[in-house]
């Protein structure tokens, strides 16, 4: 059984930082993309950042560029999202996602990901 378990969410003041971690079990994802999505109340689930299997290709939503970084440690089957200069509009539930197949580009749509974590709440106070 494949599981993705996120950790690292919490409450932080605007301008602060958080690092989210997501560890997969049940299979390895070293050949496929992993990503972080977020969903605010009443809104859809949108990609924040994604990373290819080798880590050589990444994607960031426009609002995350320059503030967030994504990395992975395939030996630990883990992906990270380092978030800095956080803003109240970053408040959301953050989900880790993993694709089951290799793609040359990092997919940005949630339908391209087959496995999901349970989500971790990130709240940024003003």
């Amino acid at each position: 059984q494949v599981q993705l378990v996120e950790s690292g969410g919490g409450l932080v003041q605007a301008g602060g930082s958080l690092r989210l971690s997501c560890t997969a079990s049940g299979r390895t994802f070293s050949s496929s993309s992993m990503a972080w999505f977020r969903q605010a109340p009443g809104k859809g689930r949108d990609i924040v950042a994604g990373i290819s299997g080798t880590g050589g290709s990444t994607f960031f939503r426009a609002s995350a560029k320059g503030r967030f970084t994504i990395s992975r440690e395939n030996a630990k089957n883990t992906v990270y999202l380092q978030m800095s200069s956080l803003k109240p509009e970053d408040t959301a539930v953050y989900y880790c996602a993993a694709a089951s197949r290799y793609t040359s580009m990092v997919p940005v749509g949630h339908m391209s990901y087959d496995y999901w974590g349970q989500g971790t709440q990130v709240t940024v106070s003003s």
Side-chain angles (χ1 to χ4, degrees):
Q1 180 181 1
V2 176
Q3 283 190 314
L4 302 180
V5 179
E6 302 109 333
S7 61
L11 173 64
V12 64
Q13 288 188 328
S17 299
L18 283 174
R19 188 174 89 150
L20 306 183
S21 300
C22 170
T23 299
S25 61
R27 62 160 284 178
T28 60
F29 293 98
S30 58
S31 298
S32 57
S33 294
M34 298 184 75
W36 289 94
F37 285 73
R38 70 186 182 189
Q39 188 166 20
K43 297 190 176 181
R45 190 173 296 190
D46 298 319
I47 192 168
V48 177
I51 187 167
S52 63
T54 63
S57 179
T58 57
F59 172 87
F60 294 92
R61 66 182 295 113
S63 62
K65 289 180 181 178
R67 299 190 299 129
F68 295 2
T69 58
I70 188 170
S71 60
R72 63 189 297 167
E73 285 188 78
N74 285 340
K76 295 183 178 180
N77 226 14
T78 298
V79 63
Y80 306 97
L81 183 69
Q82 176 68 48
M83 305 185 291
S84 303
S85 302
L86 283 161
K87 305 175 181 179
E89 51 264 43
D90 294 317
T91 295
V93 178
Y94 283 69
Y95 296 91
C96 174
S100 60
R101 292 175 293 177
Y102 166 82
T103 56
S104 58
M105 303 279 290
V106 176
V108 298
H110 69 276
M111 296 293 288
S112 298
Y113 293 87
D114 305 287
Y115 302 99
W116 293 85
Q118 80 286 353
T120 186
Q121 177 70 46
V122 171
T123 302
V124 185
S125 63
S126 58

